[in-house]
Amino acid sequence: MRIDVVSIFPEYLAALDLSLIGKARQDGLLDLTVHNLRDFTSDRHRTVDDTPYGGGAGMVMKPEPWAQALESVRGGSRPVLIVPSPAGAVFTQAMAHELAEEQHIVFACGRYEGIDERVLEWAKDSFDVRPLSLGDYVLNGGEVAVLAMVEAIARLLPGVVGNPESLVEESHSDGLLEYPVYTKPSAWRNLEVPAVLLSGNHARIARHRRDEQLRRTALRRPDLLELLDAATLDRADLAVLAEAGYAVVGGRLTRTQVPSEGSA
Ligand code: JEK
């Protein structure tokens, strides 16, 4: 996969030289280049911003340096152009899986109040333009979002994650939060690892982990429970969910009790 990132803070993307992503690049699985937007300006001051039409706070990124940069990285085909934005659709794991199938992705990191909107319109001719948000909070620019999105996409490329079993397990736990994990020592500062995990009984361990996933999801992410297909739940699932205050009503999981206080 080829990835190009355009930013006025290319050093911000230095983390992509490290760890799993750095290894994938060294191994030739990922061809990633970071570009400095200022290299595509043509004035003495390398200006990338200007005041907003219509007034308001802050500055807006000028369109022409973006057009020059995007034309320079576009290459032969029609790449996906991801534009991180607080006004984008929220980036999900499903999108990461789809994007991991692409040949070429370009990321345009805005700063200030964002990029002149005409750049996104203009780019539609030669890119598949996707304004995407990392989540519902405000960042100072697109760089942190790109670090997160590149990592989420690149770890799905064949050969990038050392143990492909991790990815298989991930797709099985689809729709529920992860179960809690523990390592040695089995007793630590007066806290014990759940005994079932030391039992060697793999069926009971799987059931325990599934129970924990369901409890956690009910407690922390009830929005995910409402999306579950009730037909995929077994009797033990339904028993745990009943304790957490959920029951199947008309094929949908429905809250039957008000959530009580405290957390886990
Ligand atoms: C790209 C510039 C900074 C900050 C004004 C007024 C309410 C904010 C742009 N999940 C995410 N959050 N933020 C970003 C993100 C932020 C960016 C850029 C992505 C380029 N900024 C900025 C304030 C405002 N808005 C109305 C919201 C605009 C992001 C992602 N991905």
Side-chain angles (χ1 to χ4, degrees):
M1 169 182 280
R2 176 179 168 193
I3 294 181
D4 290 280
V5 182
V6 183
S7 164
I8 60 167
F9 295 124
E11 331 80 72
Y12 215 121
L13 286 303
L16 297 175
D17 296 340
L18 306 174
S19 187
L20 209 88
I21 308 302
K23 178 80 176 0
R25 293 168 74 185
Q26 284 171 10
D27 295 349
L29 303 169
L30 178 62
D31 168 18
L32 187 149
T33 313
V34 180
H35 309 265
N36 188 341
L37 181 69
R38 292 194 196 274
D39 292 345
F40 300 91
T41 57
S42 39
D43 66 313
R44 224 163 47 84
H45 298 290
R46 315 221 308 158
T47 312
V48 295
D49 64 324
D50 207 337
T51 54
Y53 277 121
M59 301 292 270
V60 172
M61 295 191 105
K62 294 166 67 63
E64 188 56 24
W66 277 111
Q68 293 298 330
L70 295 176
E71 277 176 340
S72 147
V73 302
R74 184 177 58 212
S77 57
R78 194 183 145 81
V80 171
L81 175 62
I82 296 181
V83 187
S85 162
V90 174
F91 176 73
T92 63
Q93 183 67 14
M95 290 181 196
H97 277 281
E98 287 166 18
L99 291 164
E101 306 287 320
E102 296 289 340
Q103 290 257 336
H104 186 193
I105 305 177
V106 178
F107 288 91
C109 299
R111 280 268 151 182
Y112 314 108
E113 298 299 302
I115 303 171
D116 187 310
E117 190 65 25
R118 293 170 294 180
V119 173
L120 283 80
E121 284 175 50
W122 165 86
K124 283 176 188 166
D125 281 351
S126 25
F127 295 85
D128 178 1
V129 180
R130 315 254 185 102
L132 295 181
S133 167
L134 197 57
D136 292 339
Y137 36 79
V138 181
L139 303 171
N140 277 335
E143 285 79 5
V144 163
V146 168
L147 289 174
M149 292 176 193
V150 168
E151 185 158 309
I153 295 164
R155 66 189 291 283
L156 300 176
L157 298 176
V160 172
V161 163
N163 180 3
E165 267 180 46
S166 330
L167 295 183
V168 172
E169 195 172 327
E170 231 169 66
S171 67
H172 279 301
S173 68
D174 232 62
L176 292 177
L177 298 184
E178 301 300 307
Y179 53 77
V181 294
Y182 304 88
T183 187
K184 293 173 276 297
S186 66
W188 175 77
R189 299 198 180 201
N190 220 26
L191 295 169
E192 293 280 347
V193 171
V196 59
L197 299 180
L198 313 177
S199 71
N201 183 332
H202 299 295
R204 283 193 60 224
I205 290 171
R207 187 64 250 169
H208 171 80
R209 286 177 166 169
R210 174 92 179 162
D211 291 350
E212 288 300 307
Q213 286 191 279
L214 290 161
R215 286 194 192 100
R216 273 189 164 183
T217 308
L219 207 59
R220 300 177 183 176
R221 292 294 305 278
D223 57 309
L224 296 181
L225 278 191
E226 332 251 329
L227 300 174
L228 277 190
D229 178 5
T232 66
L233 301 170
D234 64 22
R235 303 242 301 277
D237 292 340
L238 294 174
V240 173
L241 287 170
E243 251 181 82
Y246 285 83
V248 177
V249 179
R252 295 247 57 90
L253 267 179
T254 313
R255 204 170 74 194
T256 55
Q257 290 169 211
V258 290
S260 62
E261 264 191 72
S263 66

